[in-house]
Amino acid sequence: MQLDKYEAARLTNPEMLGINIIVNNRFQITYVNAGDFVEAHKEAIKVYDQIYRFNAAEFKDNKADIVITGSSAPTNHLFFHTGWVNVNCQPIVKKGGTIIFTTPCPGYGDWPGFALMDLVKDFMPPTAENHEKAIKSFYAQTRELWAGCIWYKIYAAMLHADYYIVTRPENLEMARSFGFTAYDNVEQAYRDALAKYGAKARVAFVPYGRYSVLDV
């Protein structure tokens, strides 16, 4: 996808330099660069990797049964924007494992915390048959591709592992109506996950899953 972005930018023959910003988990700017839109971006990625990329090789042959992760404000205002945590943690959780994702999702303006996630509802639960329907929806243009670039990756990762969402109480009804397993406290979510795998379950903790890149 990134190579496509570079190609699209070249086709427009931009006169403006590329500007890249890296923020910390409090959304404070920690790095800025500018220059050729490709080279400056690649340099920014190198800096980003020094902060948020981790060697998770220990999970290559012994993946976690349960991954507990979270996001940080303000990128968690809408689940639609923060749900990629599921994708980021997928490399270290085993097939059929469980990702417990804590995210408050207070909403943004008039939009509730789970706004736009109704786009997933017709394809729940995540099964091979429903996955095929989701893919076809883009070709049939019954689902917009721009939004699909976000929610589809969340959905595809749910085919690999169960997804327990811990969020604010006011979000529970909406989240559950779309087919998500949602809780208002992490303790209950963890107890339910542990009941599936037993007391000897392998558990991983990824504090800032929204930003982390895990290499196995």
Side-chain angles (χ1 to χ4, degrees):
M1 182 182 293
Q2 190 57 50
L3 294 178
D4 290 339
K5 292 179 182 178
Y6 291 155
E7 182 180 1
R10 291 191 186 95
L11 291 173
T12 63
N13 192 26
E15 296 180 1
M16 183 176 178
L17 298 176
I19 301 174
N20 302 280
I21 296 175
I22 298 176
V23 298
N24 62 19
N25 288 297
R26 294 182 178 179
F27 221 59
Q28 298 166 330
I29 296 175
T30 59
Y31 175 85
V32 178
N33 82 353
D36 175 81
F37 64 86
V38 175
E39 297 306 318
H41 183 248
K42 289 181 177 180
E43 186 61 32
I45 290 174
K46 291 179 182 178
V47 176
Y48 184 97
D49 286 349
Q50 292 173 4
I51 305 170
Y52 293 114
R53 195 172 200 119
F54 301 95
N55 183 350
E58 63 182 286
F59 291 96
K60 182 176 182 179
D61 298 316
N62 189 16
K63 296 186 183 295
D65 298 289
I66 303 169
V67 175
I68 301 175
T69 187
S71 63
S72 54
T75 57
N76 59 21
H77 286 162
L78 296 178
F79 183 81
F80 189 74
H81 291 151
T82 198
W84 261 62
V85 167
N86 195 27
V87 180
N88 293 349
C89 292
Q90 184 177 344
I92 66 170
V93 66
K94 72 178 186 181
K95 177 73 172 178
T98 299
I99 296 173
I100 300 174
F101 176 37
T102 61
T103 183
C105 298
Y108 184 79
D110 294 333
W111 286 10
F114 278 72
L116 299 176
M117 290 310 297
D118 59 313
L119 295 169
V120 181
K121 186 175 182 179
D122 290 343
F123 314 115
M124 295 291 279
T127 62
E129 181 180 1
N130 282 335
H131 184 211
E132 182 178 340
K133 293 178 181 178
I135 293 292
K136 288 181 177 179
S137 71
F138 298 123
Y139 289 93
Q141 298 183 13
T142 59
R143 288 292 187 277
E144 300 90 344
L145 186 57
W146 71 269
C149 289
I150 300 177
W151 70 257
Y152 171 72
K153 292 299 294 184
I154 300 171
Y155 179 83
M158 291 173 63
L159 293 166
H160 177 82
D162 292 337
Y163 202 20
Y164 290 0
I165 302 168
V166 182
T167 187
R168 289 186 174 189
E170 60 265 31
N171 290 327
L172 295 179
E173 182 178 357
M174 177 177 281
R176 290 169 179 168
S177 73
F178 298 154
F180 293 108
T181 302
Y183 300 80
D184 62 3
N185 68 90
V186 70
E187 292 84 2
Q188 186 59 55
Y190 180 66
R191 285 196 294 267
D192 287 354
L194 202 60
K196 295 192 293 183
Y197 311 110
K200 295 184 178 180
R202 182 170 169 81
V203 181
F205 179 50
V206 182
Y208 300 110
R210 175 68 175 80
Y211 296 98
S212 299
V213 180
L214 305 172
D215 293 324
V216 296

